[in-house]
Amino acid sequence: MRQFGTIFKFELKSYLKNKIFVGVTVFLVAVIAVVMFFPSFIGGGAGEITVDSEDENVSAESSGTEGLMLFSAEGVDGAERYRTAFAEAFADYEVGETEDGEERIKERVASGEAECAFVLHSPTSYTYYVDNLSMYDANTEIADTVLGNMYQVQAMIEGGIPPEQVSEVLGVQIQGETENLGKDQMQNFFYTYIMIFALYMVILLYGQMVATNVATEKSSRAMELLITSAKPVSMMFGKVLSSCLAGFLQLVAVFGSAILFYNLNKAQWGDNYIIASLFDMPVSLLVYMLVFFVLGFLMYAFMFGAVGSTASKLEDINTSVMPITLLFVAGFIVVIFSMSGGDVDSLLMKICSYVPFTSPMAMFTRIAMSTVPAYAVAISIAILVVSVVAVGVLSAKIYRVGVLLYGTTPKLGGILKAIRKA
Amino acid sequence: MRLTLRNIFKSFGEKEVLKGISFSAESGRAFGLLGRNGAGKTTTIRILMDVFGADAGEVLLDGKPLNYKELRIGYLPEERGLYPKKKIIDQLTYFAELNGMKRQDAVKSVDGWLKRLGMSEHRNKRLDTLSKGNQQKIQLVTALAHNPQIVILDEPFSGLDPVNAMLLKDVVKEEIAKGKIVLFSSHQMNYIEEFCDRIAILNDGVAAIEGDIHEIKRNYVRDKLVVRSEAAEQIRRDLGDCCSAREDGGLLIQMASADDKREMMQRLAGQYDLDEIKVFEPSLNDIFVEYAGDQAKEAAV
């Protein structure tokens, strides 16, 4: 136990004295400070600047700046009507009617003279020409709506319904109200996303650090002395727990300064929805965050440490840790996709929230964005705790065998065999 | 104190490294653990230090199993290495603490040793700023700072200049004089002969020979003669296979048995003009080659 304390202190001190560690933390805090004080700088305390209004400014400025949209409705009845409707619908564009043939239109779009072009073949069919289709291009959807509306109106009028009634029918307003009994995913999305991402970054970065740390000791042969001076279990737990505390301190510094700076500038941020939702997270969630952070961190740090001990050279580390990294990234992707899809209670997520390798992220996400029964949370945490202890002890055993093996990186089977014998 | 290893077996997978090693070392005297590369010295040391257990056999101190919680062992590994990027005082204190010292005592002891080895000025430097020989001295502190009862030194003299070698010799002699069990492992036989009273030569997983170094020499079969003569060529031609040339220009003559000594000496002295004739007294080097060499291995098979 005393050995553990000595190792823990020594390792923690080397984190806190590490210039890169300190530098990155200070940099992150500075970035957060700049972001948080930003409205105070530009607003001079007016308190009226919000991201929303900035957005409006941006869209106002960009109006009419999208460029030229060619429009051709040659041979379609009431071409003028369609042109007017398109000009209204695409206010951002300068809609110019053209009598050019399709080949010429294509050339003009391709050459960049025009942004895009709509060539109407009939009231219900068109071709959209564009040079480089953007991911966010919604022009065809707008065109579909415009043409669909015009077709419906036309059809109803032809069917004998008076025009006033037509607009009434089409413009009917539905009264609806939402009463949320669980959690508001929209509101929780941002901070859950940030927390999951922080979890992901910290675990991956520190896991790598633990692996590199062990491999460095091995390659510098300090291991020869360490292994004869301290018990492998003390070594492993000392290293991993100190890196856990270092990571935690870094998180506290970053999130703590964010919260502090936000509160200093609360008035300036006013009613900005995203920022307010970020700092409006319930305390219970912070506690869950802490629990899953610690357990998830330990889980992976032990595995990284064990893998680090089997590498003889620092260069081998990257390939050795690949399987663990992939496992972790896979879990992260599942969680992020479920979050973006809005379905955090899918079967896959439910399974992931019990599997110890993915549960820190998956269960945390479900707690944050959905309603999970208390017993499920308890089971998930219990599985995780047991797994962490098991992985910790196993990794210490791998460590003990691994650090004495030099040369080619041993295969998993070989290590397990050696552990059973040792 | 008496450290005894009794019938130690150890295999790694299919490979049997130790096949029943036994030897014992006493406090206040240095013990030489010899053997060729791969003979099992490091494995023996690691078992002794409880890095891993033996498959069979016992490690005893005064007849009782070692209590690793109370026993302090100092180790200078053959593969040197500490933290290159850390301050010397920090890492030396760290290792002393790991070996059971309290922080203040550790700092005090480390400072004492740095002074003794003339390294005090480097106390607050990073290890990788030091020359190789000085790094070696720093490494020595890790083996001695926690005042261990058993000191294991693996090739302690490699990489040291003559002045530092002298300093280390003095330190080792002091440690022996303090009544510690000092285990030496080296391929430099002159150092072993200088320090060690007892030796064990490991070969193919067993102690091929173990005991008092003088006794081993005395018990060495006295069936060889060393001859120095102007007529060396003639003698070689006449005696044929049982006669071989030595590096120092003399001849080594193998007799059928030690009992033939008198007759052989008289015969040679009568026949040739000799400068010198005597019974061959082996050096430790000769003994090592005989017991650790390949012939010994083949003979064992």
Side-chain angles (χ1 to χ4, degrees), chain A residues 2-3 14 217 220-222 224, chain B residues 46 79 81 83 98 100-101:
Chain A
R2 230 184 75 196
Q3 270 189 346
S14 42
E217 277 173 359
S220 76
R221 307 283 161 140
E224 297 278 330
Chain B
R46 282 182 178 158
E79 296 269 11
Y83 295 102
L98 279 185
M101 288 191 110

Side-chain angles (χ1 to χ4, degrees), chain B residues 65-107:
Chain B
L66 261 65
N67 180 356
Y68 289 101
K69 283 207 173 77
E70 285 176 10
L71 183 72
R72 294 186 307 277
I73 303 181
Y75 179 41
L76 179 74
E78 186 183 3
E79 296 269 11
R80 314 276 199 261
L82 293 169
Y83 295 102
K85 307 274 178 216
K86 288 203 200 306
K87 267 199 328 198
I88 285 166
I89 180 71
D90 287 350
Q91 47 183 320
L92 288 182
T93 316
Y94 176 52
F95 281 109
E97 278 186 273
L98 279 185
N99 282 302
M101 288 191 110
K102 288 207 181 66
R103 186 162 180 85
Q104 287 91 338
D105 299 342
V107 175

